[in-house]
Amino acid sequence: MGICDGRTVIITGAARGLGRAYALAFAAEGANVVANDIGTSLGGEGRDTSAADQVVAEIKAAGGTAIANYEDITDWDAAKRIVDATVAAFGGLDVVVNNAGIVRDRMFVSATPEEWDATMHVHLRGHFCLSRHAVDHWRARQKAGDAVDARIINTTSGAGLQGSIAQAAYSTAKGGIAALTLVQAAELGRYGITANALAPSARTRMTEQAFAEKMATEGQTFDTMDPANIAPTVVWLGSAQSAHVTGCVFELEGGRIMLEDGWREGPVVDAGKRWAPADVGAAVDGLLAERIAPRKVWGTA
């Protein structure tokens, strides 16, 4: 008996890296896994349905239960077909793990509209379409009198939480996902749905290129960048045990679980009247002197 025994989970981008680690871990804890992946390149080009087939075969070989799915999460109708196929195969749906994403690294001064739109499309629209159809399914179940204990697990990033040089589009999309998570948590609790987000740090196709030195394993007794290190927290968030946790963003790396503190009100000064423009500078300087120093944007000195 695992902590997700009998629960059904859709994982997007499930064929490689973090998604594959999540799929294997959920299956090992008794979940029915729908491994969704269209098998694109890191930049989002091309298709390869065998990628999803491989992780499903691996789950089944280990005694788990899984099906592959090759639908495009950014397509509204296709996203509904993912939910419908899941319900048809397993009789229901309990967890959506929005993991799929692409990256188009580019300094802002060189960014193109096409790269910007592609990044927003996969990350933001992809998170929206599948989750929206899943929520329709869960609301219908609740209206029918079923007890709903559902989970949305989104994927943000350190880049989205603090910014990253040469990743304006990616950082913007991931920051938007963090904000989306807060809204989902606030709105969907009444239906028995929680929403949380992850900012995982692990070895993937994306990070191996951007952070090759950090991803290296030479001389390590514990491989902190193994994607499998992230999976236990994701599986727990998908379990019935996490019903009391919603609206949180967790930064995960190796054996570390860090709860993000988020934007909150900082130092304040109130003149009690309209400011004169010439006086604003001194007031802002005073606020800057009082604030807690923010984390630096990735890639800055």
Side-chain angles (χ1 to χ4, degrees), residues 11 27 30 38-39 56 59 62 65 67 82 97 99 116 143 188 199 232 239 248 253 268 282 285-286 291:
I11 303 169
I38 62 176
V56 168
I59 288 170
T65 304
I67 61 172
I82 299 172
V97 180
N99 169 70
W116 184 273
K143 289 179 180 179
L188 302 178
S239 75
C248 295
E253 178 180 312
V268 61
D285 287 343
R291 72 171 178 174

Side-chain angles (χ1 to χ4, degrees), residues 274-293:
R274 184 180 303 149
W275 287 88
D279 296 333
V280 171
V284 171
D285 287 343
L287 295 176
L288 292 174
E290 293 181 41
R291 72 171 178 174
I292 298 173

Side-chain angles (χ1 to χ4, degrees), residues 152-210:
I152 297 173
I153 303 173
N154 294 326
T155 305
T156 182
S157 166
L161 301 176
Q162 64 189 93
S164 179
I165 293 293
Q167 292 189 322
Y170 182 77
S171 296
T172 300
K174 289 302 191 182
I177 288 168
L180 170 65
T181 303
L182 301 181
V183 176
Q184 288 174 328
E187 292 184 356
L188 302 178
R190 73 189 72 178
Y191 307 113
I193 305 165
T194 69
N196 294 286
L198 318 166
S201 179
R203 187 182 306 105
T204 66
R205 290 187 297 172
M206 195 177 296
T207 58
E208 280 182 323
Q209 292 185 13

Side-chain angles (χ1 to χ4, degrees), residues 7-15 19-20 22-24 26-27 30-38 51-53 55-57 59-60 64-71 73 78-100 130:
R7 288 174 72 78
T8 297
V9 54
I10 298 171
I11 303 169
T12 68
R20 173 181 171 276
Y22 302 161
L24 295 174
F26 267 105
N32 306 311
V33 174
V34 178
N36 168 267
D37 203 306
I38 62 176
D53 293 335
V55 72
V56 168
I59 288 170
K60 289 182 175 180
T65 304
I67 61 172
N69 181 279
Y70 324 111
E71 298 280 8
I73 59 170
K80 185 177 188 303
R81 290 195 295 269
I82 299 172
V83 174
D84 290 345
T86 300
V87 174
F90 299 116
L93 169 64
D94 302 289
V95 185
V96 169
V97 180
N98 289 306
N99 169 70
L130 181 57

Side-chain angles (χ1 to χ4, degrees), residues 121-137:
H121 194 68
V122 173
H123 289 280
L124 293 175
R125 185 179 172 89
H127 270 62
F128 166 73
C129 289
L130 181 57
S131 296
R132 178 67 170 71
H133 286 300
V135 167
D136 281 350
H137 166 72

Side-chain angles (χ1 to χ4, degrees), residues 212-230:
E213 185 175 340
K214 184 177 181 180
M215 297 302 132
T217 60
E218 186 176 351
Q220 293 185 6
T221 55
F222 170 49
D223 182 2
T224 57
M225 291 296 112
D226 187 342
N229 298 330
I230 310 300

